[in-house]
Amino acid sequence: MPATHPGRWLLAGILLTLLLLGLGLRVGSYATDYAFIIKTLRHYDPTDPAQLVLVQLRLPRLLLAWLAGASLALSGYLLQTLVTNPLADPYLLGTASGASLGAIVAYLFFPALTLSGLYLPPLAALAGGLLATVLVVAIGSRRGRVLPAPLLLGGVAVGALAAALGSLITFLKADQGNLQVVVFWAFGSFERASWAVLGYPAAVLAGSLALLIFLQKDLNILLLGEERAQALGLPVARLRWLLLALVAALTGGVVALCGPVGFVGLVVPHLTRGLLGTAGRANLAFCAVLGGGFLLACDLLARLLYPPAGLPVGLVTALLGVPFFVSLLRKTS
Amino acid sequence: MRVSLYLPLGLLGLLACQPENKPTTAPATMQVHDDLGRALTLPAHPRRVLALAPSLTETLYAVADTATIIARTQVDDYPAAVLRKPLVNSYPLDMERLVALHPDVVFTIEGITPPDAAARLGQLGIPVYYQKYRRVADVLRGINDIGRLLGRPAQAKRLTDSLQAQLNGLAKPVPGAARPTVLALASADPIYVYGQNTLFTDEIRLAGGQNAVRDTFPQPFPALTREYVLKMNPEVLLGGRFGKLDSTFFKNNPELRRTRAYQTRRVYATTPNLLQRPSPRIVEAVRELQALLRK
């Protein structure tokens, strides 16, 4: 399919997502066939444990995986546009390392994992991620303008600092029992999914996509470089702030709920541009759909290979993503 | 690189050994194999011993001459007298401190001390003796092994005979009655549990129940999904008091409130550092499990 048919690619991505959702609904400890799935979706009976599992556990898990993939892919796309650097990924702003630090503090300093009735790990991860993001943005901006190079370097520096602090705390505080918990949090997982937590990532993703579709042309102009974008009348500074805010909101929620899932935000934007061109009009939507599908596929594979909990999804994204990414790089170069 | 790392440690070990090790006759040694099948040369009468696992420190206190126990690790807390011993860090292993203490033998458990650390200690002349257990009987056998190695077989046998008698004296499950399925949490978030291939399986069997985890996973403490836990539908859950888990574990995983354990409020805490330790207190652990099952 040539790049001039973005609609077909988008349709293919949506169909792939639906196929993966269908397959994903079948995988789990309870044996469920499609007749049972259809029956459950039509007449849900929460007193049947298998139906409860299907509706309350499997479906939210798949939706969270999709939302996480879509949000991270979109964030990666936006950041690569913002800093005009193809190496940027959603964690460039320090969100992942800050969130990991927050989670480590929660796990190692609060063994009960609650404070005044609040469940700490996701809150601490969100707080850590946002703090790191604020710090990186402060480093990367001068007099209200976001500068790509300092932002990039600030992200690397804050990421390294948060990782070092996390390692220091782990070294001083962890024993063999809780070390495993900290390490596994850092691999990422969708096991905490529930209908109650899906609202935030869904609302942020839908809001971001709606806003960005209006700004698609501006984003393409930004890719031409700051000077040319300004010469063409684009409010570059304002646009960059908006993109930063969207990336922080998209990534922060995902990391707080799922842990830092790597590689999807780097691979999928590249694949999107490879298939649809650098400035295609369906790029943003396709990138989100493809990112969601990619994480759905990774989660499905992880659970099929290593039931019941599955391999850490972050490992699968890297194992699948890296060879694919390298072959893509070789083709495009 | 490896040689350059070993040399300073080796020299340190030699220097540390000199003041107290001035044998007048060649020391008698014995050749033994540990539970991992590793061949070791031990002094015939070890006078300086330590354990890198808290359960083995408890065993040493129960079997050895306590004056021969030269150190404790940061996790040792039982018996209280152990806190008066010098500290050596077991995680991460403080190799230099351990070498400076020049023990005759170091006892540890499979999975606690990395094999490469044991190999390095072996190169420095410190034999590391591993034990491993799958059943409660293995723990009793391990106590007797340590007794023999330390020249105190009678003390060890007295202890294990007593432990065996206590085990034999435990009330037997009613023949034909179903054994309750028990899930023991090792971590509540993410959910890690005591797997089929842990000592817990035998402990809970002796207590009259059965490990709710029937599948055998490669890891002793596998991660589980909520779906898997719901399918198991354990009758008893161990890992914390009902009230505490209700406001944490079950609050975060409300679906698991459907399990029989939650419905019947058979959710219990166990004494800290008892169930996890394959020590002479293992019968105490089995007795506690039995008491919980009878609640």
Side-chain angles (χ1 to χ4, degrees):
Chain A
M1 257 185 282
T4 46
H5 290 109
R8 286 192 203 169
W9 279 110
L10 193 57
L11 186 66
I14 291 168
L15 289 177
L16 178 73
T17 299
L18 292 175
L19 177 73
L20 289 165
L21 275 173
L23 288 172
L25 273 177
R26 283 203 61 179
V27 177
S29 301
Y30 283 93
T32 42
D33 57 17
Y34 285 117
F36 181 81
I37 293 170
I38 291 166
K39 181 185 138 196
T40 304
L41 295 178
R42 292 180 63 183
H43 306 287
Y44 171 49
D45 173 11
T47 58
D48 178 344
Q51 293 200 25
L52 176 95
V53 159
L54 204 60
V55 173
Q56 296 295 338
L57 299 182
R58 283 191 206 169
L59 196 52
R61 179 191 178 107
L62 296 171
L63 293 177
L64 182 62
W66 190 87
L67 285 170
S71 300
L72 291 173
L74 191 60
S75 299
Y77 190 94
L78 294 179
L79 266 174
Q80 287 169 14
T81 307
L82 179 83
V83 297
T84 49
N85 187 322
L87 274 177
D89 88 337
Y91 302 137
L92 173 76
L93 297 181
T95 323
S97 36
S100 295
L101 178 60
I104 288 170
V105 168
Y107 280 118
L108 300 187
F109 285 93
F110 299 90
L113 300 182
T114 51
L115 190 65
S116 308
L118 291 172
Y119 187 63
L120 279 180
L123 294 177
L126 189 63
L130 291 180
L131 263 176
T133 306
V134 168
L135 199 58
V136 171
V137 172
I139 294 171
S141 57
R142 303 278 186 284
R143 289 189 289 278
R145 286 182 61 210
V146 178
L147 307 171
L151 188 77
L152 211 81
L153 293 170
V156 173
V158 171
L161 179 70
L165 285 174
S167 301
L168 179 71
I169 294 170
T170 308
F171 179 79
L172 294 176
K173 290 282 294 178
D175 58 38
Q176 274 144 329
N178 56 25
L179 182 67
Q180 191 182 23
V181 172
V182 168
V183 168
F184 274 73
W185 186 87
F187 284 140
S189 162
F190 305 120
E191 182 51 26
R192 292 183 195 88
S194 68
W195 288 108
V197 302
L198 289 179
Y200 173 82
V204 174
L205 181 68
S208 303
L209 269 176
L211 189 63
L212 288 166
I213 284 167
F214 282 110
L215 295 173
Q216 175 93 54
K217 206 182 280 176
D218 292 351
L219 291 179
N220 292 340
I221 295 172
L222 192 61
L223 281 172
L224 300 172
E226 183 172 355
E227 283 179 15
R228 291 178 71 183
Q230 265 173 340
L232 289 168
L234 191 73
V236 173
R238 215 184 316 153
L239 186 60
R240 281 189 175 144
W241 277 111
L242 177 70
L243 295 184
L244 272 185
L246 289 183
V247 168
L250 283 165
T251 325
V254 169
V255 177
L257 293 173
C258 315
V261 181
F263 239 82
V264 56
L266 189 62
V267 173
V268 175
H270 279 273
L271 186 58
T272 302
R273 281 191 287 266
L275 290 171
L276 302 189
T278 312
R281 61 193 150 87
N283 275 20
L284 290 166
F286 181 72
C287 186
V289 168
L290 193 62
F294 179 67
L295 266 199
L296 267 183
C298 288
D299 182 49
L300 185 63
L301 196 63
R303 287 187 294 141
L304 283 173
L305 288 175
Y306 202 72
L311 290 170
V313 72
L315 298 187
V316 182
T317 56
L319 290 174
L320 279 186
V322 172
F324 188 71
F325 185 61
V326 170
S327 72
L328 194 74
L329 276 181
R330 289 181 68 85
K331 257 186 211 166
T332 50
S333 60
Chain B
M1 185 63 192
R2 288 172 73 88
V3 173
S4 65
L5 268 176
Y6 294 146
L7 268 176
L9 287 173
L11 286 173
L12 187 74
L14 285 174
L15 288 172
C17 284
Q18 275 174 356
E20 289 186 38
N21 281 3
K22 291 180 183 168
T24 49
T25 54
T29 58
M30 56 180 163
Q31 302 293 321
V32 296
H33 284 86
D34 67 9
D35 287 3
L36 302 187
R38 298 160 67 249
L40 301 168
T41 304
L42 264 55
H45 303 289
R47 304 304 305 159
R48 298 177 64 77
V49 300
L50 71 91
L52 293 176
S55 58
L56 284 176
T57 300
E58 293 189 23
T59 300
L60 288 180
Y61 265 88
V63 172
D65 170 358
T66 53
T68 62
I69 303 168
I70 56 171
R72 67 176 171 99
T73 70
Q74 77 286 0
V75 278
D76 289 337
D77 58 2
Y78 190 92
V82 75
L83 297 173
R84 290 198 293 271
K85 296 284 183 185
L87 179 68
V88 59
N89 222 55
S90 63
Y91 178 79
L93 182 60
D94 186 348
M95 187 83 72
E96 196 167 314
R97 174 99 178 110
L98 204 150
V99 170
L101 287 164
H102 53 91
D104 292 334
V105 56
V106 171
F107 292 100
T108 191
I109 294 178
E110 182 191 29
I112 294 273
T113 305
D116 63 332
R120 281 163 69 191
L121 285 169
Q123 286 167 346
L124 297 169
I126 299 173
V128 178
Y129 189 98
Y130 278 91
Q131 292 205 327
K132 70 172 181 183
Y133 324 103
R134 293 292 174 264
R135 300 167 68 89
V136 171
D138 297 333
V139 179
L140 303 194
R141 192 234 338 124
I143 294 172
N144 279 323
D145 287 347
I146 288 180
R148 264 194 305 279
L149 294 172
L150 300 184
R152 293 168 75 89
Q155 285 89 337
K157 183 151 188 334
R158 259 201 307 279
L159 173 63
T160 53
D161 283 350
S162 157
L163 292 174
Q164 189 59 56
Q166 291 175 56
L167 279 175
N168 296 342
L170 288 173
K172 299 281 177 290
V174 180
R179 290 168 170 267
T181 54
V182 184
L183 182 67
L185 292 176
S187 151
D189 178 27
I191 302 173
Y192 284 98
V193 301
Y194 285 72
Q196 181 64 216
N197 45 351
T198 57
L199 196 58
F200 172 74
T201 300
D202 199 37
E203 290 175 308
I204 198 69
R205 182 187 65 80
L206 289 169
Q210 58 178 317
N211 192 344
V213 183
R214 305 299 295 274
D215 299 318
T216 303
F217 298 97
Q219 305 97 333
F221 299 94
L224 295 183
T225 56
R226 290 167 294 174
E227 179 172 344
Y228 191 91
V229 176
L230 264 181
K231 179 121 190 281
M232 278 191 297
N233 198 7
E235 291 166 88
V236 180
L237 183 76
L238 303 179
R241 284 181 300 104
F242 180 84
K244 188 191 163 207
L245 290 194
D246 193 29
S247 61
T248 54
F249 179 68
F250 289 108
K251 191 175 167 195
N252 293 323
N253 306 291
E255 306 79 17
L256 299 184
R257 289 192 165 126
R258 289 175 172 256
T259 53
R260 287 176 289 182
Y262 183 88
Q263 298 281 328
T264 55
R265 290 181 154 244
R266 295 182 78 186
V267 177
Y268 308 115
T270 54
T271 303
N273 298 333
L274 182 62
L275 191 61
Q276 302 89 328
R277 290 191 187 173
S279 75
R281 291 193 295 154
I282 196 156
V283 180
E284 203 179 317
V286 173
R287 207 180 290 122
E288 180 174 279
L289 290 174
Q290 192 173 59
L292 292 175
L293 292 187
R294 286 166 181 232
K295 270 190 178 177

